[in-house]
């Protein structure tokens, strides 16, 4: 049973806490009237899943530290296509958006009474959704910091993803073993996917722009679903499998990289047969017990992941050998990493020491 590990249940008529936001920049629009969220002049966005856009390289050293979270940082996400803003989810219950170019915090969004477990930008980066251990999900406007919606099904949300074809729909994996899809315009739950036997850890959209989704859970199964149909079309389950708390799509859209808790990253086909690629596995880091995020360079040549000792490890995707190991964070794991979509060798990492580091 999970219930003793989870935060206390919500009362019958519980309300989400009052949301506040603080802007830390000089002004919200510049002299030309462009919003602070607009990409800087001359930044050309790269399409996601375009492997041939530019060549990437493994970063050499830490060039900057973003500090400001009072406790650890659990997840970081970059602005879609341009990557000029960085969104971070803190264990202090606050989300922050940082300007990568100015290297400072631009806005803080405080709307959760407990640690934030996951955040996600929508497909054009105008809004983001945050889910927290206080059992609420909040949809925020990035620019103004207004809360556009507060959602709860009174369960702890573990992972949230926007549906790639419709910005109004997001999907949440919960502690009651269900995956629920919310329509943010109405606040209704539009679909439930209920086949896992333990809390749901990851949701990944695969095959021509998200017609299917792959989910993994603490029950060590991976299920493949057709969008909007509440019955899985494929079970991946094998006695040798371990729990896989993080799944990332390779930019070629042909592979899924899964952080397996026996200290390796395993690779599955994305689409067709969803077969395990036995030859491709990335080892040499230690993740047991932590959901360390995987970042893959936009050209698909390098894989990078944090580990439970605060290290940051880079592998060559083709040869699966370790290229670099850095000490990234103290006092716990380096829990998440994100590779910049445009800058060829810029990687961001965050850890439970409350620092977000930029590597180049």
């Amino acid at each position: 049973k999970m219930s003793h590990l989870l935060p206390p249940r919500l009362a019958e008529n519980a309300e989400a806490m009052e949301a506040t936001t603080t802007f830390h920049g000089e002004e919200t629009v510049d002299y030309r009237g462009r919003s602070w969220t607009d990409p800087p002049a001359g930044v050309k966005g790269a399409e996601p899943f375009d492997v041939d856009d530019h060549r990437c390289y493994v970063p050499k050293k830490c060039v900057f530290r973003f500090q400001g979270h009072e406790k650890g940082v659990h997840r970081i996400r970059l602005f879609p296509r341009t990557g000029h803003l960085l969104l971070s989810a803190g264990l202090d219950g606050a989300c922050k958006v940082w300007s990568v170019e100015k290297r400072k915090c631009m806005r803080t969004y405080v709307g959760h009474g407990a640690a934030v477990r996951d955040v996600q930008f929508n497909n054009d980066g105008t809004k983001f959704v945050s889910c927290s251990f206080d059992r609420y999900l909040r949809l925020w406007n990035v620019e103004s910091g207004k809360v556009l919606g507060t959602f709860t099904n009174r369960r702890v949300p573990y992972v949230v993803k926007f549906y790639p074809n419709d910005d109004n729909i997001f999907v949440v994996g919960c502690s009651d073993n269900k995956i629920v899809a919310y329509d943010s315009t109405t606040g209704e739950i539009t679909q439930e996917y209920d086949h896992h036997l333990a809390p749901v850890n990851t949701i990944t959209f695969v095959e021509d722009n998200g017609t299917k989704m792959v989910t993994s859970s603490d029950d060590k199964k991976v299920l493949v679903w057709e969008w909007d149909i509440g019955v899985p079309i494929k079970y991946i389950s094998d006695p040798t499998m371990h729990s896989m708390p993080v799944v990332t799509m390779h930019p070629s859209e042909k592979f899924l990289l899964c952080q397996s808790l026996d200290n390796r990253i395993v690779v599955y086909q994305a689409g067709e047969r969803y077969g395990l690629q036995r030859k491709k596995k990335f080892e040499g880091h230690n993740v047991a017990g932590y959901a360390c995020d995987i970042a893959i360079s936009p050209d698909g040549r390098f894989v990078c992941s944090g580990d439970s000792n605060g290290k940051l490890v880079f592998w060559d995707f083709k040869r699966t050998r370790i290229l670099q190991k850095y000490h990234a964070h103290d006092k716990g794991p380096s829990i998440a990493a994100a590779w910049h979509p445009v800058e060829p060798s810029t990687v961001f990492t965050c850890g439970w020491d409350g620092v977000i580091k930029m590597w180049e």
Side-chain angles (χ1 to χ4, degrees), residues 67-250:
Q67 283 166 324
H69 277 287
E70 330 233 312
K71 292 185 188 167
V73 184
H74 193 73
R75 283 287 178 260
I76 46 177
R77 306 278 179 221
L78 285 158
F79 196 87
R81 291 183 189 78
T82 53
H84 65 286
L85 297 177
L86 177 80
L87 167 64
S88 60
L91 299 177
D92 51 1
C95 301
K96 287 179 183 282
V97 167
W98 311 76
S99 163
V100 172
E101 182 199 28
K102 297 182 181 146
R103 297 190 176 179
K104 59 182 270 200
C105 178
M106 299 301 285
R107 201 181 258 292
T108 305
Y109 310 79
V110 182
H112 289 294
V116 183
R117 176 66 173 77
D118 198 12
V119 282
Q120 206 75 43
F121 274 116
N122 68 355
N123 305 319
D124 61 2
T126 51
K127 308 171 189 154
F128 72 89
V129 68
S130 60
C131 70
S132 155
F133 284 110
D134 66 1
R135 298 169 185 255
Y136 285 101
L137 294 123
R138 290 211 129 144
L139 182 67
W140 304 81
N141 179 324
V142 176
E143 187 181 349
S144 67
K146 283 200 178 70
V147 175
L148 306 172
T150 303
F151 313 90
T152 182
N153 61 348
R154 314 180 48 147
R155 307 287 178 269
V156 176
Y158 282 116
V159 55
V160 57
K161 276 275 162 70
F162 274 95
Y163 178 50
N165 299 328
D166 185 353
D167 257 349
N168 292 323
I169 298 176
F170 55 88
V171 198
V172 185
C174 302
S175 61
D176 65 343
N177 319 348
K178 288 193 177 80
I179 300 140
V180 291
Y182 285 95
D183 184 342
S184 62
T185 47
T186 60
E188 305 284 307
I189 291 181
T190 56
Q191 181 62 285
E192 287 192 350
Y193 305 86
D194 177 15
H195 258 264
H196 276 298
L197 306 173
V200 179
N201 286 324
T202 69
I203 302 170
T204 314
F205 287 99
V206 297
E207 286 193 42
D208 38 73
N209 208 1
T211 51
K212 297 194 172 67
M213 72 187 178
V214 178
T215 62
S216 75
S217 147
D218 289 344
D219 60 9
K220 307 183 176 54
K221 286 191 184 67
V222 175
L223 302 185
V224 184
W225 312 77
E226 191 88 43
W227 173 250
D228 223 14
I229 295 174
V231 184
I233 54 173
K234 189 163 176 69
Y235 264 74
I236 305 171
S237 180
D238 162 357
T240 62
M241 270 167 68
H242 285 250
S243 182
M244 302 202 279
V246 168
V247 176
T248 305
M249 171 78 100
H250 189 264

Side-chain angles (χ1 to χ4, degrees), residues 234-293:
K234 189 163 176 69
Y235 264 74
I236 305 171
S237 180
D238 162 357
T240 62
M241 270 167 68
H242 285 250
S243 182
M244 302 202 279
V246 168
V247 176
T248 305
M249 171 78 100
H250 189 264
S252 67
E253 296 192 83
K254 293 194 180 98
F255 304 105
L256 294 170
L257 282 81
C258 314
Q259 187 80 269
S260 172
L261 286 188
D262 55 348
N263 297 334
R264 60 178 64 170
I265 294 174
V266 295
V267 182
Y268 285 87
Q269 276 174 311
E272 300 294 320
R273 296 179 45 245
Y274 297 94
L276 175 62
Q277 309 284 307
R278 290 187 193 286
K279 291 214 173 76
K280 270 216 192 312
K281 52 180 189 288
F282 303 91
E283 298 177 313
H285 64 320
N286 182 25
V287 287
Y290 293 95
C292 295
D293 224 350

